[in-house]
Structures are given as C-alpha cells and as structure tokens.
Amino acid sequence: MDNYQFKIICIVGARPNFMKIAPVIDAFKRLAPEVNVLLLHTGQHYDENMKTQFFQQLGIPEPDIDLEVGSGSHAQQTAEVMKRFEPVVDREHPDAIIVVGDVNSTIACALVAAKKMIPVVHIEAGLRSYDRQMPEEINRVLTDQISDRLYLTERSAAENLSLEGIPAERVFFAGNVMIDTLKKNVKNAQYFSDTLKQFGINTVIEEKNYSLVTMHRPSNVDDQAILKNLLQVILQTSKTLPVIFPVHPRTRGKISEFGLDHLIENKNVHLLPPLGYMQLVGLMAQAKMVMTDSGGIQEETTALGVPCITLRENTERPITVEQGTNTIVGVDAQLILAAFNDVMEHGGKVGQQPELWDGHAAERIVEDLLPWLSAKHAASGNI
Ligand code: UD1
C-alpha cells in the first residue's frame, strides 16, 4: 500500500467546469503530489472563447487527453463522449474519476466509469431544480445515482440525495470549489472598462452603474417568443441603466435565426463575445446588478455581494436565495422590471456568505478523498 500511486482522471467539458476543476488540481498538487492526476477535456466546448482562455487564465495545465467531441444533439454529444472515453479508461485504469457539475460530459464520463466499476467522484452533487425540462437536471440526478463519493456545496443538497435513496455515508459537505476559484482570482480580475475598451467600446460607464446580462438556457433562448420578450425587457431596462451583455454562441445564433437583432442594436446595450474568466468576474464584481439564467453566476454574485435577478422559474441553488443576493423572477416582463426597479431604488438584497464558501473547499475534498480511496483500495485486496 505504502508505495501505491493513485491515478485519478479529472474530467472537464464545458465552460462552467473549468473553474471548478482548477482548485481541485491545485489542491492535489499541494497536498498530495504523489497522486497521478490526469486532466481530460471532452471537447464539448471548443471555441477559443469558450475554452482556451479559461485554461490560460485559471492556470489549468494543458489537458493530458482531449476527446474533441464538439457539438451535437444531446444524444450525439453524450454518446460521442462515452465512445471516446471508454478506451481511455481501458488504457489508463484509473483508481477513480472526478466529474464536476451537470453538463453532458459529466454524465457521459460517469456512466462509462461506473459500468467498469471505477469509482466516480461527483463534485457539486445533490443540487436539484426539480425541473426535468432542464437537461442539466437529468444529468444531475443520474450522475448522483452512480457516484461513489458525493461532495456538496450547500447543506440542502443532502436532503435531496437522501430523498433519492443515496446513503448518507457517501455524502460529504465540502463547500464550493467554484468560490475557491473566485476568491483566489477576484483581486486580479480585469477592470470592467478595460474589458469594454478591449472590445472597442469606448462609451463612458461608471463602476456600479451598469447591469450585466447573460443568458443561454435553451428554455429561454430556443423559444422565439420568450427570447423576444427577454430582449425587449433588457432593452427597456437599458434606458435607465446601461447593459453589458456577453453573448453565448447559442444565444447569438438564435437571435439571428429569429430576426431579433434590432432588439440588441442599441446605444445602451453593449454586446460582447463570450468572455474569459478574469473579464467576466470583473464585470460581475463591478456591476450594480446582474440579470442571468446561469447557475454558477447565481452563486458567484452571492459570494461577491452583488444583487442577482435570475431569469428562471426555479433554482437548484436555494442558498443563494435564502442567504445570498439572488431573486428568482422567471421570464415575466412585469416581474423582471419590478425586481430591476427594486434594485435601482433600494439597492437589492444584501445577503451573507454561505457556510464553507471560504476558498478551501478543494482542500477539504482532497483531504477526504484520499483516505476514502485508500480504504476502498485496501478493502479490494490490492494492498
Ligand atoms: C452547456 C451546458 C450548460 C452550461 C453551458 C455553459 C449541457 C447540457 N449544457 O450548454 O449546463 O451552462 O454549457 O456555457 O451540457 N458552441 C459553440 N462553441 C463552443 C461550444 C458550443 O459555438 O465552443 C455552440 C454550438 O452551436 C452548440 C451550442 O453552442 O451547438 C450549444 O453548446 P452545448 O455544449 O451543446 O451546450 P451549451 O448551451 O453551451
């Protein structure tokens, strides 16, 4: 046992995975350098803007393995990751794989490993929106069912897992690895007006005097009427407070397809391409408010103390509403405008830092995982 070297494959695939895996890799390097940690990128996100600059800005090493799956329908994308990941598992024989979050790459790799009896470790487990129209919800439920060790970002997730019959011994409340990355990097985030200048926008906007808008959920952007309504509301708010809007490739495509460009071509709506991490964190931290349908941004705004108006009917991250700065408003124009006006007039929710969102979640995970893996290894007789 003494000289046994664990091999662990960490999986990333899409933009929100990168900031979650970065502190985990770093914690392994610092606390357990003897562990052979391989990084695998499925290639779900492949654009420079959706991938490369995250690796660079977060100091993530180049992936050891890139499956280069690219885009496709959910079935195609998930299947392609599975087909290409299976030979990697056969070749590498990892002692465990680590998956994060809820994207298609998460469930695809978890499923391959679980069927080969390779332990699956899921970071950010147990979150539930109870909305199966979200593809991520299906990915979450299934990944948790086949995971061997589950790390939670908030305590409410334990209750969700218990209701689904997952034994409490598998579950560990570690805190939020994405907030580890935020705490580490926020001091060095790019100043928002430098980001605007970088993309040729020279309008003078003052700090805390703009709203940041992001949206990409299929339920919001793939439906013409909903997307039109959201863009109209955003345009309306821009008359009071300038809008900065980095546009996800999916959203950009749908705006053109539905002929809605005129709604965002306005002097108060500043469009940007998808941004790197340091640019987006700067824009969030310095905004008066954020309007979004992202999951991660609901948490990041809570950690930053910036009011967040969530353009969804539900959230899988309830602590951001109960303790944080988040308000769930859905897509009704009047409700969005009421929440917007509330922030303008009263400053919005103040909030507090959730438990264990302290910048040390990844260390707690590594410190828990290694003894757990050792015990499993010993029990299997491979001593
Ligand atoms: C995925 C995740 C979502 C996450 C989001 C963050 C799933 C089910 N969804 O959604 O949870 O919040 O990433 O961005 O895994 N595209 C590009 N370049 C890229 C990647 C995608 O142009 O590098 C375009 C393609 O047209 C593609 C579309 O964006 O078809 C959607 O990409 P996909 O990875 O399928 O899902 P996202 O909407 O990005």
Side-chain angles (χ1 to χ4, degrees), residues 14-16 44-47 50 71 74 77 102-104 136 139 216-217 248-250:
R15 190 170 61 173
Q44 176 174 345
H45 283 174
Y46 44 87
D47 279 0
M50 303 291 281
S71 297
H74 282 261
Q77 192 174 57
D102 53 18
V103 302
N104 287 341
E136 293 82 0
N139 294 342
H216 68 280
R217 293 251 93 79
H248 185 283
R250 170 194 285 281

